[in-house]
Amino acid sequence: MKKEKYSIEYILGRISAPVLWPYLSTANGLSEWFADKVESKGKDFVFIWSKVPQEAQLMTQRQGVFVRFHWKEDVEENCKAFFEFRIDQTELTDDITLIISDFAYPDEREESISLWNQQISSLKRLLGF
């Protein structure tokens, strides 16, 4: 079975993109909501949940717009899966939307979306929503 890409959009309101960006792109910011602890050295990141590390590599980013990571375990399996945080600003309302793209096996997609919903709830609390 092959992992399939999906995207989820979260409207964050009138937060400024420069305020949001460090929470998506830095080890310190990610450790405040995404994982228990995040360590980075260059483009290599270690995300730790319940003392279990998962390694990822920062693949590409555009400052203030998007950041994309590949899980190293997926790369070793010759998998092209990634997870990406993208900031989009609606011109009409100036609301910020966070778009998350990720990959999951079809039978794990709903569970994966549920985990993202929990993580984004933590981010929103941190940002004062």
Side-chain angles (χ1 to χ4, degrees):
M1 194 174 347
K2 185 178 176 185
K3 288 185 176 183
E4 298 175 352
K5 182 180 176 184
Y6 66 92
S7 295
I8 317 167
E9 294 185 10
Y10 298 95
I11 297 172
L12 299 180
R14 294 187 182 253
I15 187 169
S16 74
V19 169
L20 178 60
W21 180 249
Y23 291 103
L24 308 175
S25 62
T26 68
N28 286 340
L30 288 162
S31 66
E32 290 194 48
W33 68 277
F34 184 64
D36 297 335
K37 185 176 180 182
V38 181
E39 300 170 350
S40 67
K41 185 174 184 180
K43 291 187 173 198
D44 293 322
F45 282 69
V46 178
F47 297 89
I48 302 167
W49 289 276
S50 302
K51 299 182 182 180
V52 177
Q54 284 190 275
E55 296 181 19
Q57 185 173 38
L58 173 66
M59 297 307 291
T60 186
Q61 70 175 335
R62 180 182 293 163
Q63 181 73 27
V65 178
F66 75 92
V67 59
R68 181 181 292 179
F69 296 91
H70 282 268
W71 292 117
K72 288 191 176 182
E73 64 188 31
D74 286 342
V75 172
E76 293 171 359
E77 296 171 6
N78 198 23
C79 179
K80 304 218 184 285
F82 61 84
F83 68 100
E84 177 182 276
F85 302 118
R86 181 173 295 271
I87 299 171
D88 186 44
Q89 188 165 14
T90 306
E91 289 182 30
L92 185 61
T93 63
D94 281 337
D95 284 345
I96 293 290
T97 300
L98 176 60
I99 303 164
I100 297 176
S101 296
D102 197 1
F103 285 75
Y105 294 109
D107 60 339
E108 296 175 355
R109 181 177 174 174
E110 292 304 316
E111 181 182 349
S112 183
I113 290 172
S114 178
L115 289 171
W116 278 117
N117 289 340
Q118 291 173 20
Q119 299 298 79
I120 297 303
S121 289
S122 296
L123 176 61
K124 285 180 174 180
R125 280 192 302 278
L126 181 66
L127 296 172
F129 292 101

